[in-house]
Amino acid sequence: MGASTRRTRLVLLFGGRSTEHAISCVSAGGVLRALDRSRYDVIPVGIDTEGRWVVVPDDSPTLTAAGADLPAVDAAAGLGVTLPPDPTTARLLVRDPVATLRDLGPVDVVFPLLHGPFGEDGTIQGLLEMSGLPYVGSGVFASAAAMDKHHMKRILAGAGLPVGPYSVLRPEQRLTEEDRDRLGLPVFVKPARGGSSIGISRVDAWADLDTALKAARASDPKVLVEAAVVGREIECGVLDRLDGSGPEASAPAEIMVTSSAGFYDFEAKYVSDGARFDVPATLPAALTERVRATAVAAFEALDCAGLARVDMFVTAAGQIVLNEVNTMPGFTPMSMFPRMWAASGLDYGPLVDRLIQLALRDGAGLR
């Protein structure tokens, strides 16, 4: 095959060391099925929960959820692989069973479909920068800043964007009486650097706070305690334009929780039918445009690139309060980010392709 018709060599990274390992695997399965194999030569690379990298077959059960049984990468199921931090090579090396390194060939672009710490937090982005490889999504700083909800809120507030009242508790710190009075009840307790609603609790009585803190600290020693915001849960996707004219926002979506947990927890997201979705959200036209403009402003305040999902609340008075910015949101065909873009006229396959083309356009290094 001549150079002019060579397929783009794409490494799809998934799994990882965070508590969102399984969600990353399911997202990767969706992306793999959507890729045009006449255009992309795909190398699926799974990272197990201890951080080992292996080449995984396309049809592996690692990439599919079966009801409540969530998948995981098995390091024994494939050949080990390593990415040398050498920008002059841009290659993967595979280790055979006798630990001999073999060149797997050049790599054009990486899709780091990793959620949570050790993937969405700037760590894998730093490795890819050191290796000189273009990759999908935000760079080191934006990934790290958005992952840490404490610093994310500080940056958003510094840009004049609305965030709700909160307190940050580091290891062994406790909530003061002054903070309890300021936040009121109920509050939400969550890991500062987590996702997929893992470790999050709603606290309706202060007597339950210590139990909630213990659950959050199982994922992260730094914890946020946030005042509850009474309002509709609205999400909006943001995507860079290929022509370089800046980001654009999707049609917003609304999440309506029906589970007994009273919020959009892990069970409602991935296991049970604990929520209903309105895609696009039924909002007045003027409010829809404010939601979309706020999402783009949050994306730009954090210096994001490629894509992000911006989560917010809209009160009965029409006030917008930002909640989170996810630089690598869930990416199954039924995840909110692809569904919002489908409602905006950009289907799943073309969405995946656009993200890869954005990464190839931007290349590696400072953006």
Side-chain angles (χ1 to χ4, degrees):
M1 183 177 292
S4 61
T5 58
R6 185 178 72 85
R7 291 182 296 167
T8 298
R9 202 89 184 282
L10 169 71
V11 171
L12 182 65
L13 278 177
F14 62 92
R17 294 165 58 189
S18 84
T19 53
E20 297 178 79
H21 177 99
I23 308 310
S24 172
C25 293
V26 178
S27 292
V31 170
L32 274 171
R33 288 186 286 273
L35 287 167
D36 182 351
R37 298 309 178 91
S38 69
R39 298 179 58 202
Y40 297 108
D41 177 14
V42 185
I43 306 173
V45 176
I47 304 175
D48 77 1
T49 54
E50 295 183 357
R52 291 181 289 251
W53 294 32
V54 293
V55 177
V56 175
D58 282 20
D59 58 354
S60 169
T62 296
L63 304 171
T64 307
D69 296 327
L70 297 174
V73 174
D74 180 4
L79 292 175
V81 69
T82 186
L83 178 64
D86 180 355
T88 66
T89 61
R91 311 175 87 81
L92 281 174
L93 301 177
V94 67
R95 296 188 302 275
D96 63 24
V98 294
T100 302
L101 286 176
R102 177 166 52 86
D103 190 347
L104 206 58
V107 174
D108 297 308
V109 63
V110 178
F111 199 143
L113 199 54
L114 299 162
H115 307 310
F118 309 109
E120 194 181 349
D121 60 350
T123 49
I124 199 74
Q125 290 76 15
L127 175 60
L128 295 172
E129 292 285 1
M130 292 290 289
S131 300
L133 287 171
Y135 55 90
V136 171
S138 290
V140 174
F141 171 78
S143 299
M147 186 82 256
D148 191 317
K149 298 175 182 65
H150 170 207
H151 293 293
M152 175 198 69
K153 290 177 184 290
R154 294 180 69 177
I155 292 170
L156 294 177
L161 297 170
V163 298
Y166 68 97
S167 290
V168 178
L169 299 181
R170 297 184 182 278
E172 309 305 325
Q173 287 185 325
R174 300 179 65 83
L175 202 64
T176 66
E177 288 300 323
E178 180 181 347
D179 282 337
R180 294 186 187 209
D181 292 340
R182 178 174 59 87
L183 297 174
L185 285 170
V187 294
F188 287 90
V189 178
K190 60 180 65 174
R193 294 160 290 195
S196 293
S197 297
I198 295 170
I200 297 182
S201 303
R202 174 183 166 126
V203 174
D204 293 289
W206 292 123
D208 299 326
L209 179 62
D210 285 346
T211 299
L213 289 172
K214 183 177 180 181
R217 283 174 170 150
S219 296
D220 189 342
K222 185 165 76 166
V223 170
L224 261 66
V225 181
E226 298 177 343
V229 178
V230 179
R232 300 165 68 179
E233 291 193 48
I234 302 295
E235 298 186 346
C236 190
V238 182
L239 192 61
D240 270 328
R241 293 183 174 93
L242 279 168
D243 64 6
S245 60
E248 61 178 325
S250 71
E254 181 174 5
I255 299 167
M256 291 159 281
V257 178
T258 59
S259 73
S260 59
F263 70 100
Y264 197 34
D265 64 353
F266 183 89
E267 182 84 8
K269 284 183 178 179
Y270 302 113
V271 180
S272 66
D273 295 324
R276 293 186 295 110
F277 309 102
D278 192 2
V279 188
T282 304
L283 297 169
L287 182 54
T288 294
E289 290 312 306
R290 285 176 51 215
V291 164
R292 297 176 72 234
T294 301
V296 169
F299 184 93
E300 293 180 325
L302 289 166
D303 206 19
C304 295
L307 75 160
R309 193 192 73 229
V310 181
D311 304 344
M312 61 193 83
F313 300 101
V314 176
T315 71
Q319 179 188 11
I320 295 172
V321 180
L322 287 167
N323 184 26
E324 295 183 13
V325 177
N326 294 271
T327 55
M328 189 55 71
F331 224 92
T332 73
M334 294 309 295
S335 295
M336 292 302 288
F337 185 84
R339 288 178 66 182
M340 288 186 288
W341 279 107
S344 307
L346 184 63
D347 290 335
Y348 190 87
L351 172 62
V352 170
D353 183 68
R354 179 161 157 181
L355 290 170
I356 296 168
Q357 295 307 311
L358 285 166
L360 289 167
R361 182 199 71 184
D362 293 342
L366 295 177
R367 304 180 179 195

